[in-house]
Amino acid sequence: MRRKRIGLPATLLILLALTGCWDRRELNDRLFELGSGVDRLGDGSIQVVGQFMIPAKSGEGGGDQRSYLVETGTGKTVSDCLLDMQLKLSRRITRGHRNNIYFGEEMAKAGIADVVDSVTRDPDSRLKSDIWIVKGGTALDFMQVSYPLENMPAIALSKIRHIIGKTTGNSLLEVMIEENVAGSGPTLPAVEIVRDEKLHKKTLQIYGRAILDRDQRLAGYYDRMESVYRLWITGETDRIPIAANARGAQGLFNTEVTRLRAKIRTTVQSGRVEIDVDLKGSGVILESLPDVDLRDPAVLRGFEADLNRRVEQDEAAVIRKAQKQFKVDVFHFGQAVERQHPDAWTRLEPHWAQAFSDAEITVHSHVKIKRIGLQGPPPNKR
Amino acid sequence: MKLTNYQLFWLLFSMETGMSVMLVIAPTFRAAHQGSPLATLLAGIAALLVTFVAIKLSLLYPEDTFVEYVPKIIGDWLGKTIVFAYLLLWTAVAGIVLREYADFVHLTLFDKTPIWVILLFMLLVIVYGVQGGIQIVGRCSEVIGPIIVFNVILFRIFSLKDLHPDRLFPLMPSGGWMPVLSGSAPAASFMSESAMVVMLIAFIGNKRKAVATGLWSVGLAAVVLLNVVMDAIMMLGNTVPAKLQYPVYSLSQYISVMEFVQNLDILLVVGMSFTVFVKLGLYLFMTSYGTARLFRVKAWSRTLPIVACLVFAVALFPRNVDESQVIFPAFWKNVAYPIFLFGIPLLLWMIGSARKGTKRSRLPKAP
């Protein structure tokens, strides 16, 4: 009896707590930010641009009205900017679904180190995000480009990267990890706004990779082929299209190389580092201009040799660009040295950026062409 | 009150896993960097040793709990003083664990709810569970433990594609053994909480299997922790986890499979709440049962509300997260672990078995 007398009020009390009134989050009061942009203004303050989903519109699709809203806020720090932006918005900014953050080129040149903190400190913000650099433009420009295929233009780039076989969502984490590795430079995907004069429109296009130096300032860019050659070494892409010139037959042929492997062997001799990069993959001929029969094993071997020479030359050029121009290790060679020569690494670590620039790097490519498609020679040529 | 070996297994496992997975990884990485997996392995071995000593000690007096047999080993006054110190320690750690739990839930789910509300409702649930006896908590853990294992396996599978196995090597860092050893201390101090079996062995039905059960249980918990540390190093590298407040929470946010298995942090929050329930249930039971025995109170359920109030007060005490998540774990690692979890039980075991030995030799030989 006594138990019942206590039990009933206790149950009612607990029922009261179940409503969760303190932390109720109504969907109607939320505004989902699917992409953010950060720009540096002339006076050193920053501007945050948000691309928000308009709840009622996004479901319908089509029509002239945009399904998203772009809003800006300015201030000294990101939180200042967010407050500035919130004061213009009738719904609470919710960043839990944001996967992409865009930095204007000016911001990247000034250094992104100070801007990342607010992203990784906020428990509602996702670690699995990509940071993009808008090459030659501002994040605001980028956010305003209309993109008819997606309700939210901010997510279009993730989809493109996915289609071309790249890992998505890891570049924010990469910035954090690389910053703690001596001599290593973080890289971020770069996007470009292209103006098509004939079609009278602006659209967005993936450019390649932006390279940051040790202070997380923009050091330069890799274009699309250079980027994908770099990703071959770091193991973050699953295919690479290569155009090579067939030597005997005069003419280009295109190969898509898949099942990419890269092996890095390092040797350290009296402080000098030698790095040997061994590339493997299997190719499929996509297009072959020369009028030769690929069913002839000798011809195919010739193509293979040409392809491998092309890969070795291009890859070496990509590495040399990092050594001479960026002067940061963007290939994780430092970690390879640490694994293979832990003793030497303790001596090399403090000045790895320099040691990397001076290192002698050789590239060997062993791509095998496995398939040639539906025909031997082009049937329409004599 | 009776516990089965199966219940003991899941009790210890659930009690050990939750908090150590949340709070141990960052300090381990801060000290050991690349050597963190190795440090965790060492910590697991240390915890097994502590568990072994604690169970062996309890088996000297199989029908008594810690509170009852310590005075028998080293005399009434000294024994009761030591037991009293243990009771204070258990109250303090229960309060801080409750606070650490509330800090986490406050951060991830309920940032506008006052923290005392979170504390109070969790405590009410635990008191409700414990007042029926330790076997209630034991039965709960039989359900909770497998759920935790299931979660761990789920995370294991989902995070496979994000792993960079090359980051695991070299296993031995260039800095030598010292960073590894100091890095193993936080994990060892958390895992060695299994020393609390000294209060539980008396309730076990089949005591012959108790040693094996305890060691398997702590071993499984160590494997889970090692698995998470390896996940952290393979996904976040060897430096980033040291800088994060809850590396595992960040990992759970990072997991994304096919674009729709996302935001798995909720599984983590729920799993954490479950393990905290078991852990606090154990501490509340031990403290109130121990207090009742020490002060010769007939019904230990009378002391339970008092202990619960004390725990609540301790939980309200820290002014910020640093006090609950940095300063107290440091005290736990530097004072509680070497003295209360390892030193005193080991000494007691040695004295106790020596006394038993002399007693046996003094007994007249059987005709």
Side-chain angles (χ1 to χ4, degrees):
Chain A
M1 201 52 212
R2 184 167 153 262
R3 220 161 227 225
K4 263 189 193 161
R5 238 181 288 147
I6 300 171
L8 195 66
T11 320
L12 288 176
L13 207 75
I14 285 169
L15 273 180
L16 214 69
L18 280 178
T19 58
C21 280
W22 272 297
D23 274 295
R24 74 180 186 284
R25 293 171 189 180
E26 301 284 346
L27 204 58
N28 290 342
D29 298 330
R30 301 259 136 183
L31 189 54
F32 291 103
E33 182 177 6
L34 291 196
S36 308
V38 188
D39 277 321
R40 190 181 153 89
L41 301 178
D43 60 348
S45 60
I46 55 177
Q47 180 178 46
V48 168
V49 191
Q51 197 175 84
F52 302 97
M53 188 162 79
I54 302 178
K57 298 272 168 52
S58 61
E60 295 162 11
D64 280 341
Q65 277 189 314
R66 284 181 174 184
S67 55
Y68 60 92
L69 166 80
V70 174
E71 196 55 86
T72 64
T74 52
K76 292 274 173 218
T77 62
V78 176
S79 304
D80 285 350
C81 299
L82 283 178
L83 176 65
D84 193 37
M85 192 149 74
Q86 183 69 72
L87 294 178
K88 301 173 189 167
L89 296 167
S90 60
R91 293 171 179 223
R92 178 176 292 278
I93 300 170
T94 307
R95 320 188 94 180
H97 294 267
R98 179 187 59 179
N99 282 337
N100 291 290
I101 304 163
Y102 301 89
F103 286 129
E105 199 175 59
E106 288 305 314
M107 188 73 234
K109 279 180 182 159
I112 64 164
D114 292 340
V115 187
V116 174
D117 183 85
S118 82
V119 178
T120 44
R121 193 177 292 275
D122 177 9
D124 283 334
S125 180
R126 283 197 195 180
L127 186 59
K128 200 181 186 75
S129 299
D130 272 317
I131 298 182
W132 297 78
I133 305 289
V134 183
K135 182 175 183 288
T138 63
L140 187 60
D141 293 342
F142 174 82
M143 290 291 189
Q144 284 172 317
V145 175
S146 69
Y147 193 77
L149 288 179
E150 303 293 338
N151 285 332
M152 299 295 300
I155 63 168
L157 291 177
S158 300
K159 290 190 158 183
I160 297 175
R161 267 177 74 76
H162 199 71
I163 287 166
I164 58 174
K166 307 291 176 286
T167 318
T168 52
N170 63 337
S171 54
L172 169 62
L173 187 59
E174 205 202 345
V175 168
M176 294 162 68
I177 293 176
E178 295 303 321
E179 192 53 28
N180 292 301
V181 178
S184 192
T187 70
L188 297 171
V191 61
E192 204 180 10
I193 303 167
V194 288
R195 205 164 271 106
D196 194 321
E197 295 300 340
K198 296 207 180 82
L199 289 175
H200 302 291
K201 70 166 188 181
K202 277 197 294 187
T203 190
L204 42 91
Q205 186 178 30
I206 291 192
Y207 178 78
R209 207 83 181 168
I211 314 293
L212 305 183
D213 64 12
R214 292 298 295 156
D215 302 322
Q216 296 178 23
R217 292 198 185 93
L218 185 65
Y221 293 98
Y222 272 149
D223 68 18
R224 61 179 86 158
M225 280 315 289
E226 290 168 331
S227 310
V228 76
Y229 271 120
R230 186 191 81 89
L231 292 176
W232 190 345
I233 296 184
T234 58
E236 283 167 86
T237 182
D238 57 12
R239 57 180 175 271
I240 168 169
I242 296 166
N245 222 326
R247 202 176 259 188
Q250 285 306 310
L252 283 168
F253 66 96
N254 289 67
T255 319
E256 183 170 69
V257 185
T258 55
R259 300 176 61 197
L260 304 168
R261 297 275 177 279
K263 204 178 216 167
I264 300 163
R265 268 187 298 264
T266 59
T267 45
V268 183
Q269 279 175 339
S270 61
R272 191 169 164 73
V273 186
E274 284 173 27
I275 299 171
D276 186 73
V277 181
D278 214 35
L279 300 173
K280 282 199 174 65
S282 45
V284 178
I285 301 278
L286 294 179
E287 190 175 357
S288 164
L289 302 186
D291 184 15
V292 290
D293 192 346
L294 293 178
R295 287 173 297 189
D296 181 351
V299 172
L300 198 62
R301 263 200 304 280
F303 269 45
E304 232 170 55
D306 294 332
L307 173 67
N308 281 320
R309 205 172 305 117
R310 174 90 261 149
V311 169
E312 283 170 10
Q313 279 172 8
D314 288 354
E315 190 73 87
V318 169
I319 296 172
R320 214 173 306 119
K321 192 170 176 183
Q323 284 181 298
K324 303 297 172 223
Q325 191 180 329
F326 308 139
K327 297 191 195 305
V328 281
D329 173 13
V330 291
F331 303 96
H332 308 177
F333 287 149
Q335 283 110 306
V337 175
E338 185 184 3
R339 274 194 297 279
Q340 295 169 8
H341 307 284
D343 298 334
W345 176 247
T346 42
R347 273 178 283 115
L348 285 169
E349 193 181 354
H351 50 92
W352 173 246
Q354 188 56 43
F356 165 72
S357 294
D358 298 337
E360 192 168 307
I361 302 177
T362 47
V363 182
H364 297 285
S365 168
H366 307 282
V367 176
K368 300 262 187 297
I369 296 179
K370 301 275 186 192
R371 283 182 284 144
I372 58 168
L374 286 177
Q375 57 202 22
N380 58 338
K381 288 184 181 170
R382 259 187 309 127
Chain B
M1 287 185 288
K2 278 272 173 244
L3 281 176
T4 63
N5 273 299
Y6 187 67
Q7 285 170 342
L8 179 72
F9 178 85
W10 288 118
L11 267 177
L12 284 181
F13 171 77
S14 335
M15 181 277 294
E16 298 245 283
T17 315
M19 270 297 166
S20 44
V21 162
M22 288 311 292
L23 294 178
V24 152
I25 291 175
T28 306
F29 273 89
R30 195 151 46 215
H33 298 293
Q34 187 66 35
S36 299
L38 209 58
T40 315
L41 196 68
L42 289 181
I45 295 170
L48 285 176
L49 198 70
V50 168
T51 316
F52 181 77
V53 170
I55 298 177
K56 276 292 182 188
L57 166 66
S58 308
L59 287 178
L60 291 177
Y61 298 89
E63 300 308 320
D64 293 342
T65 61
F66 189 70
V67 177
E68 291 144 334
Y69 64 65
V70 171
K72 287 187 189 168
I73 295 178
I74 49 170
D76 224 24
W77 272 107
L78 189 59
K80 284 193 170 163
T81 317
I82 287 182
V83 166
F84 189 68
Y86 268 92
L87 292 176
L88 285 183
L89 183 75
W90 289 339
T91 314
V93 69
I96 297 292
V97 166
L98 185 61
R99 175 58 178 256
E100 285 164 347
Y101 156 79
D103 280 338
F104 177 65
V105 173
H106 201 244
L107 177 87
T108 54
L109 289 181
F110 307 119
D111 50 348
K112 290 191 208 72
T113 310
I115 201 149
W116 65 266
V117 176
I118 302 175
L119 292 172
L120 184 68
F121 280 101
M122 189 63 183
L123 199 60
L124 283 179
V125 174
I126 295 163
V127 168
Y128 175 72
V130 173
Q131 51 100 20
I134 188 64
Q135 75 276 15
I136 309 267
V137 184
R139 264 182 248 148
C140 286
S141 72
E142 276 181 87
V143 181
I144 289 170
I147 292 178
I148 304 297
V149 172
F150 176 76
N151 278 0
V152 169
I153 293 173
L154 206 67
F155 272 88
R156 166 80 284 128
I157 293 169
F158 284 154
S159 66
L160 274 181
K161 71 179 180 58
D162 289 315
L163 300 181
H164 295 257
D166 51 311
R167 293 199 181 131
L168 195 57
F169 302 101
L171 283 176
M172 188 64 213
S174 45
W177 277 102
M178 273 324 286
V180 175
L181 285 178
S182 70
S184 74
S189 70
F190 268 67
M191 303 267 291
S192 298
E193 279 187 77
S194 57
M196 61 160 61
V197 285
V198 290
M199 286 297 286
L200 302 178
I201 294 295
F203 304 110
I204 301 288
N206 181 1
K207 290 191 176 60
R208 257 183 301 168
K209 277 197 192 155
V211 175
T213 311
L215 293 186
W216 274 111
S217 173
V218 176
L220 182 63
V223 167
V224 166
L225 186 65
L226 183 64
N227 167 53
V228 177
V229 166
M230 280 166 55
D231 253 20
I233 200 170
M234 285 195 275
M235 281 163 83
L236 302 177
N238 61 16
T239 334
V240 174
K243 298 183 179 175
L244 298 175
Q245 191 81 337
Y246 305 106
V248 181
Y249 181 70
S250 302
L251 281 182
S252 71
Q253 281 189 319
Y254 191 72
I255 289 174
S256 161
V257 180
M258 318 277 288
E259 297 291 317
F260 70 89
V261 181
Q262 286 177 335
N263 291 355
L264 292 182
D265 37 319
I266 193 65
L267 285 179
L268 196 73
V269 180
V270 171
M272 163 102 169
S273 310
F274 280 170
T275 56
V276 166
F277 170 79
V278 173
K279 187 170 202 156
L280 284 181
L282 278 173
Y283 273 122
L284 276 186
F285 167 77
M286 285 156 57
T287 318
S288 40
Y289 186 84
T291 316
R293 281 298 149 106
L294 188 68
F295 296 109
R296 303 197 186 286
V297 180
K298 278 248 172 57
W300 66 273
S301 56
R302 292 261 173 85
T303 49
L304 181 63
I306 303 168
V307 172
C309 288
L310 281 176
V311 167
F312 187 60
V314 173
L316 285 176
F317 183 71
R319 278 169 304 168
N320 54 34
V321 286
D322 279 357
E323 287 188 0
S324 58
Q325 292 185 13
V326 180
I327 297 178
F328 187 80
F331 159 77
W332 189 254
K333 183 183 85 181
N334 298 328
V335 182
Y337 167 54
I339 298 175
F340 288 95
L341 300 184
F342 188 67
I344 295 182
L346 185 67
L347 269 177
L348 286 174
W349 182 40
M350 291 191 311
I351 299 172
S353 38
R355 291 191 91 174
K356 284 243 158 164
T358 50
K359 228 182 241 170
R360 203 167 296 139
S361 59
R362 258 189 244 144
L363 284 177
K365 290 245 157 58

